[in-house]
Amino acid sequence: MDKLPLPPPFAEQLSFKRVDTGQYVVEVSESLSFGPRIFGGAIISAVRQVAEHYSPAERKHPDAHHIQLQFLRLIVPGEVSISLQDVSVSRSASIIKLAVSQEEKECVVGYVNMTDLGNRRGLSINTNWKLEPMPPDASPAQLTAGANPNWFSYQRPYHPDGVFRAQTFTRFYIPRKLLDPSIWDHWIRPSRPDEKFTSASVGFVADNFIPLLDNFFPREKALGHHANVMETGLKQAEADKADKIDSLVAEDLDSAMMMYDTPATYMSLAFTLDIKRKLPAEGVDWLFLRARLLHVENGRMNIELTILDEHKQLIALSHQLCQIIDLARSRGNKQKL
């Protein structure tokens, strides 16, 4: 599927500069949009990069290891300001308070805990933790070759006017059979063959998974969104083998003013990211994500995300509190995001 239209290089979509002590300006590209708004994962990635640039070298706390954010307002493509302030500094860690603003209105507020991830000391215990239930066996080599019958690949084609531009930076590999409607397992790699996942992109990865809620609105298919995604992924594989991927893209490119057919969508209210280890400086080709829907009640939804590397080492844990927006009530069953 290398012939699918690809997004621009991820590293070029978030450029920041220091304008004063504790004051930064970030230019957020519209390629990181989800509909008219900037994708939350892009802001999380920007916050981590700016916080790590801000932390003075003499403190020896170069790495963000815990990020807590509250989303107050939507952010649109363009310039945002990030202000940072020290609230606690100790020998082994420091805490930074931050605010992300656009047009002089605070849009995101939160805290970042800083430390040296490569030089931490303290009690460690092997708890024999593992993913439960276990996902189907797969290896990156099998997935790349399309040689694992239990998984399929799926990639959104990029278009500068597309609805889901932020998701086009990732190629997803997904089990053909879900363990449960509340669980999405993904092996992922960058959609551009010349890119790798880096520590700077982990925040983006932590918010970039196939939507969970849609599986509980099956409509014509037993597992609504999973069935739709698998149908598209298998079509892409067949078109790629027949060298007809261009015609497939022309037929159903999501940017052709695609309407998102679902009774509900959601937006993040609060987000935490606990980073367990840095990725290698040169980056990695593959990561594993498990997104799990924990609880839905009275218009609020809790999601847990686990990120592993190719060797099943824990890279990060994330939790989100989301507000569910009832599209069926407000605008019928079709909503352009």
Side-chain angles (χ1 to χ4, degrees):
M1 279 186 286
D2 291 332
K3 294 181 181 178
L4 283 170
L6 299 176
F10 178 80
E12 299 175 5
Q13 307 314 298
L14 286 171
S15 59
F16 68 87
K17 63 180 179 181
R18 178 181 178 273
V19 294
D20 202 348
T21 303
Q23 299 291 326
Y24 289 78
V25 170
V26 183
E27 189 68 31
V28 187
S29 169
E30 61 184 3
S31 67
L32 299 175
S33 296
F34 187 92
R37 62 183 173 87
I38 288 298
F39 183 61
I43 301 304
I44 299 159
S45 183
V47 162
R48 179 178 183 177
Q49 293 180 63
V50 168
E52 291 182 345
H53 187 274
Y54 166 79
S55 185
E58 60 269 18
R59 282 187 196 162
K60 299 181 180 179
H61 304 157
D63 306 312
H65 76 95
H66 191 78
I67 300 172
Q68 309 168 56
L69 299 177
Q70 298 278 338
F71 290 84
L72 309 178
R73 295 179 177 87
L74 298 179
I75 294 175
V76 297
E79 187 176 280
V80 300
S81 299
I82 301 182
S83 61
L84 305 100
Q85 178 184 353
D86 297 321
V87 294
S88 176
V89 179
S90 66
R91 182 176 180 180
S92 61
S94 54
I95 301 174
I96 299 168
K97 181 180 180 180
L98 66 95
V100 182
S101 303
Q102 192 170 57
E103 297 183 351
E104 301 183 354
K105 294 181 179 179
E106 288 189 346
C107 301
V108 181
V109 295
Y111 294 88
V112 181
N113 294 49
M114 306 294 297
T115 191
D116 184 347
L117 288 173
N119 193 35
R120 289 184 296 176
R121 299 291 183 270
L123 177 66
S124 298
I125 298 174
N126 182 2
T127 63
N128 294 314
W129 174 88
K130 61 182 179 180
L131 290 174
E132 293 286 356
M134 290 291 290
D137 287 337
S139 71
Q142 289 177 333
L143 298 175
T144 300
N148 191 314
N150 296 318
W151 295 72
F152 67 93
S153 65
Y154 169 71
Q155 182 179 327
R156 289 192 182 275
Y158 178 80
H159 189 282
D161 297 322
V163 177
F164 304 99
R165 278 166 283 180
Q167 265 196 346
T168 66
F169 288 87
T170 304
R171 180 178 294 187
F172 300 90
Y173 295 80
I174 303 166
R176 290 185 180 231
K177 183 177 181 181
L178 288 183
L179 298 171
D180 186 274
S182 65
I183 297 174
W184 276 101
D185 284 330
H186 324 60
W187 279 99
I188 62 169
R189 60 174 175 151
S191 56
R192 291 180 61 95
D194 59 341
E195 290 196 319
K196 295 178 182 290
F197 293 121
T198 66
S199 291
S201 59
V202 167
F204 183 81
V205 167
D207 197 32
N208 195 10
F209 48 89
I210 307 295
L212 286 153
L213 189 62
D214 297 36
N215 282 337
F216 293 87
F217 300 107
R219 297 182 298 279
E220 300 174 359
K221 299 175 181 177
L223 284 174
H225 200 45
H226 178 264
N228 293 335
V229 169
M230 184 163 65
E231 181 180 357
T232 301
L234 296 179
K235 280 183 179 179
Q236 289 177 344
E238 292 174 3
D240 191 39
K241 289 180 181 178
D243 200 25
K244 295 181 178 180
I245 198 74
D246 292 338
S247 60
L248 177 65
V249 169
E251 287 177 11
D252 57 14
L253 187 64
D254 80 341
S255 62
M257 314 319 293
M258 173 182 171
M259 303 296 283
Y260 195 50
D261 184 15
T262 181
T265 187
Y266 53 90
M267 59 189 299
S268 296
L269 298 177
F271 180 98
T272 64
L273 178 66
D274 194 55
I275 301 159
K276 300 301 183 183
R277 52 177 47 84
K278 293 192 292 186
L279 297 178
E282 66 274 16
V284 299
D285 293 314
W286 292 87
L287 290 171
F288 176 87
L289 309 181
R290 168 168 287 180
R292 188 162 197 162
L293 185 58
L294 300 180
H295 188 71
V296 180
E297 187 174 8
N298 296 326
R300 294 292 187 271
M301 176 172 68
N302 298 86
I303 299 173
E304 175 186 73
L305 192 86
T306 306
I307 305 177
L308 310 178
D309 67 11
E310 185 177 344
H311 308 291
K312 309 287 179 64
Q313 286 191 308
L314 183 61
I315 300 299
L317 295 170
S318 174
H319 292 83
Q320 288 190 43
L321 170 65
C322 302
Q323 177 182 348
I324 299 172
I325 301 169
D326 187 346
L327 302 180
R329 178 183 300 174
S330 62
R331 299 187 186 181
N333 287 335
K334 287 190 176 180
Q335 169 76 7
K336 185 190 296 182
L337 298 179

